[in-house]
Amino acid sequence: MGRAPCCDKANVKKGPWSPEEDAILKAYIEQHGTGGNWIALPQKIVGLKRCGKSCRLRWLNYLRPNIKHGGFSEEEDNIICSLYISIGSRWSIIAAQLPGRTDNDIKNYWNTRLKKKLLGKQRKEQAARRASLKQEIMTKREINESFMVPGAIPHQQSPYWPDVPALVMNQNQDSHLMDQESIRNLLIKLGGRFSDNNQESALFTTINNYPLDGSSRQDQVPYTNSIDVLSSSAPMRSMDSTCCSQFPNSNYNGPNMCQAGLENLLVELGGLVCSNPQQVEGLDSFYGMDMAASGSTGASSAESNSWGHISSLGYPQLVSDYETCLQSMPQDSSFEDSSFFGPQ
DNA sequence: AATCTAAACAACCGCCCGATT
DNA sequence: CAATCGGGCGGTTGTTTAGAT
């Protein structure tokens, strides 16, 4: 038997709120408050036939004072991305770091724009990088071929395109797949900074020590003690002091969430790859081609701050070396003609 | 100008969790 | 201790709007 509905569905209005309804609800709450019971609230408001939950949502997302809509700044983008990577789709927590923003707003913004923006930047950068890299590799290979022993088989290699979900799962067994250096690079790219001395390694030690099955390890050092994920210039409080404090002790798994966020993103992107091979073009570096090559660690400008390399975190050793990948391919393979390289 | 498509936004649904009884 | 309830949250769907053809 299911739960009793919170209201009489037959007698409540659904759909978009009219300005009149907004005015009624706003006036009432400003005058009387919510009374601490949203379910009972609509019954007290004359002329408002709405479910209590609907009232709550409307008030929290649109009617309460100091709500900002749209016009997300680059800085806010950075914060959202950083936190998504850190804790996953905990929109309410992310929203708590952005004054005036609501979880619903951020969630929509992420799903409709930020995710695509991330992919777009990735493609743009890769198109250029790929062209020059390919040329370089081809030249190198031609040289190497002249030294190749006939019949020799290059060292064993997995297929060039990984099975994304499976690999994510396998991280459970192969924690070394989490390339610590890649994570560091990513976070730096995202505008993060590490504390001095040995503390910085605590994050990675902790990550590797945490199980991926969601179980918490309370004895571990919270990763937020060792890293300030966000730019020091960000108009927000540090992760240490606020983000952490907002996580209920029982729920916040620190590094688990970090990986959860990454995995979410990776699986999402992997889904894109699986569902639409055309999307693969441009995603190659998500599988680790260029994290090291990118060199610059500064997040100096929004444009240069290429989030796109996130996925190399998960698969740094799979196709992390373009040259190795190429060498693993049969010489007569049609690989180079495939869409892997995109339009020539 | 009309139609189609994709993007953006608003709202609902259902589940989970903690508080209360 | 179990049942119930409300609040809160994340995922998803429906609607509107903008842009392309």
Side-chain angles (χ1 to χ4, degrees):
Chain A
M1 194 177 104
R3 262 189 73 157
C6 64
C7 56
D8 181 4
K9 304 274 183 192
N11 291 321
V12 296
K13 187 180 170 219
K14 288 167 73 172
W17 281 65
S18 67
E20 292 76 24
E21 287 176 310
D22 282 347
I24 292 171
L25 179 63
K26 195 173 182 198
Y28 183 91
I29 292 178
E30 282 175 350
Q31 197 173 349
H32 302 98
T34 64
N37 188 339
W38 286 105
I39 301 299
L41 191 68
Q43 293 152 18
K44 301 179 197 166
I45 306 177
V46 181
L48 192 64
K49 291 188 182 305
R50 287 281 182 173
C51 170
K53 281 193 171 190
S54 183
C55 291
R56 174 186 163 270
L57 203 65
R58 189 67 187 170
W59 172 257
L60 292 178
N61 285 342
Y62 300 95
L63 299 179
R64 75 184 152 108
N66 304 322
I67 293 288
K68 278 193 282 182
H69 286 294
F72 282 81
S73 66
E74 284 288 345
E75 201 149 296
E76 286 175 311
D77 288 358
N78 291 355
I79 292 170
I80 294 167
C81 286
S82 298
L83 287 173
Y84 185 90
I85 287 160
S86 299
I87 62 176
S89 57
R90 305 286 297 268
W91 304 116
S92 58
I93 295 171
I94 295 172
Q97 305 303 322
L98 299 170
R101 300 292 185 189
T102 68
D103 54 354
N104 204 38
D105 223 17
I106 293 171
K107 178 174 60 182
N108 283 334
Y109 181 58
W110 170 265
N111 284 331
T112 59
R113 295 200 226 172
L114 213 44
K115 206 158 64 178
K116 291 169 192 170
K117 182 177 172 183
L118 190 151
L119 284 170
K121 285 188 178 185
Q122 184 67 24
R123 280 195 193 135
K124 220 174 174 180
E125 288 180 7
Q126 283 315 300
R129 204 172 287 130
R130 204 166 39 218
S132 62
L133 192 56
K134 183 188 175 187
Q135 185 59 48
E136 188 184 331
I137 298 305
M138 293 300 286
T139 309
K140 277 188 187 175
R141 197 172 74 179
E142 281 169 15
I143 294 169
N144 288 342
E145 275 173 357
S146 63
F147 293 102
M148 230 175 164
V149 179
I153 301 170
H155 58 275
Q156 202 172 9
Q157 187 64 260
S158 58
Y160 75 91
W161 202 257
D163 176 355
V164 174
L167 287 166
V168 170
M169 299 301 286
N170 285 342
Q171 285 180 7
N172 213 355
Q173 283 81 41
D174 299 319
S175 62
H176 65 271
L177 282 176
M178 286 298 292
D179 184 332
Q180 299 180 355
E181 195 58 32
S182 295
I183 296 175
R184 182 222 291 264
N185 288 340
L186 169 75
L187 291 172
I188 290 170
K189 276 189 165 197
L190 287 171
R193 56 181 166 77
F194 292 86
S195 58
D196 295 336
N197 62 49
N198 295 334
Q199 270 200 332
E200 70 178 69
S201 63
L203 164 65
F204 303 116
T205 304
T206 309
I207 284 175
N208 284 336
N209 284 342
Y210 267 76
L212 286 168
D213 58 3
S215 60
S216 63
R217 290 275 304 276
Q218 301 291 339
D219 55 321
Q220 296 292 338
V221 179
Y223 86 111
T224 47
N225 285 344
S226 58
I227 182 172
D228 181 354
V229 174
L230 303 167
S231 162
S232 56
S233 64
M236 62 173 286
R237 298 148 292 192
S238 75
M239 291 284 286
D240 292 61
S241 59
T242 40
C243 205
C244 224
S245 69
Q246 299 203 24
F247 301 131
N249 290 337
S250 58
N251 290 336
Y252 178 60
N253 292 334
N256 281 359
M257 285 187 173
C258 179
Q259 292 220 346
L262 282 170
E263 286 175 21
N264 285 346
L265 189 54
L266 294 174
V267 169
E268 276 178 24
L269 295 171
L272 263 177
V273 170
C274 296
S275 64
N276 184 4
Q278 298 301 316
Q279 300 269 13
V280 166
E281 197 270 312
L283 281 175
D284 44 359
S285 75
F286 275 109
Y287 293 83
M289 263 175 63
D290 84 317
M291 183 61 84
S294 64
S296 166
T297 56
S300 53
S301 74
E303 204 47 44
S304 66
N305 184 4
S306 52
W307 332 86
H309 313 303
I310 288 167
S311 294
S312 60
L313 301 178
Y315 314 111
Q317 299 179 356
L318 294 168
V319 198
S320 61
D321 186 332
Y322 181 80
E323 189 169 2
T324 304
C325 180
L326 264 185
Q327 286 176 357
S328 73
M329 299 303 295
Q331 295 300 303
D332 60 348
S333 165
S334 60
F335 168 62
E336 290 157 49
D337 297 322
S338 74
S339 62
F340 185 83
F341 290 115
Q344 302 293 309

